[in-house]
């Protein structure tokens, strides 16, 4: 993930890079310390997006200008415009936003008659899922489901399509979004 060290870095990034995810964090916040690994997994899944980090204690004016009042906060920008503002460690919301944008890009390409081969195994799986979701009776296509939400376990990361996935036959993990978004670990900036 790319660190943003100044207002100028932020402005340049939003102008030059079409699709950007900004993670506003603080070193003193527990939820913020857990999210970088999850965001790195998402950066691999959504490689068309550039993921950036912003330390709120180093750039308080930038945070104020961007209306960041709690940490963690995630903002999503496309073509220089903010399209999402997510307070808390709500990874499921971020997945939904990125998946929706990906689907809209695919729909736009299809409407323009642009055809591209899948660029990765994940894209191939998405294509196969989309093909499988076509109604054979009417030929209508239903939207493909968003990719699984990253989850955290004691020893590592796993993906879960249903929100809870076993990390071993005897244990299970819940999404970080469920544990962090409803916890008091989300803190106002500056406390």
């Amino acid at each position: 993930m790319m660190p943003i060290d100044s207002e100028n870095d932020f402005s340049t990034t939003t102008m030059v890079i079409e699709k950007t995810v900004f993670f506003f964090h603080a070193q003193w916040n527990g939820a913020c310390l857990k999210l970088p690994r999850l965001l790195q997994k998402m950066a691999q899944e959504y490689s068309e997006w550039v993921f950036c980090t912003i330390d709120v204690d180093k750039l308080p004016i930038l945070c104020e200008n961007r209306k960041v009042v709690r940490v963690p906060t995630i903002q999503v920008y496309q073509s220089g415009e903010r399209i999402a503002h997510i307070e808390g460690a709500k990874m499921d919301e971020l997945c939904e936003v990125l998946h929706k944008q990906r689907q809209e890009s695919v729909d736009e390409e299809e409407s323009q008659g642009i055809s591209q081969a899948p660029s990765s195994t994940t894209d191939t799986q998405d294509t196969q899922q989309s093909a499988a979701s076509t109604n054979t009776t009417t030929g209508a296509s239903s939207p493909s489901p968003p990719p699984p939400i990253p989850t955290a376990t004691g020893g590592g990361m796993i993906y879960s399509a249903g929100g809870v996935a076993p990390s071993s036959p005897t244990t299970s993990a819940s999404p970080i979004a469920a544990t962090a978004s409803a916890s008091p670990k989300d803190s106002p900036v500056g406390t």
Side-chain angles (χ1 to χ4, degrees), residues 25-33 55-57 71 185 187-191:
H25 67 93
Q27 296 298 320
W28 44 263
N29 181 274
C32 291
L33 298 176
D55 186 326
V56 298
D57 293 322
V71 293
K185 294 178 183 174
S187 304
V189 173
T191 60

Side-chain angles (χ1 to χ4, degrees), residues 22 32 48 50 52 57 66 74 85 94-96 106 121 126 131 145 159 166-167 173 177 181 187:
F22 293 98
C32 291
E48 68 271 27
V50 175
C52 302
D57 293 322
R66 303 293 170 233
I74 298 170
H85 177 97
L94 179 58
C95 283
E96 288 175 21
V106 168
T121 305
D126 287 346
Y159 277 94
S167 59
S181 64
S187 304

Side-chain angles (χ1 to χ4, degrees), residues 80-101:
E81 297 293 323
R82 185 172 72 192
I83 60 171
H85 177 97
I86 303 166
E87 290 185 352
K90 299 174 185 168
M91 300 304 287
D92 54 342
E93 285 185 34
L94 179 58
C95 283
E96 288 175 21
V97 168
L98 299 182
H99 181 73
K100 178 183 174 192
Q101 295 304 314

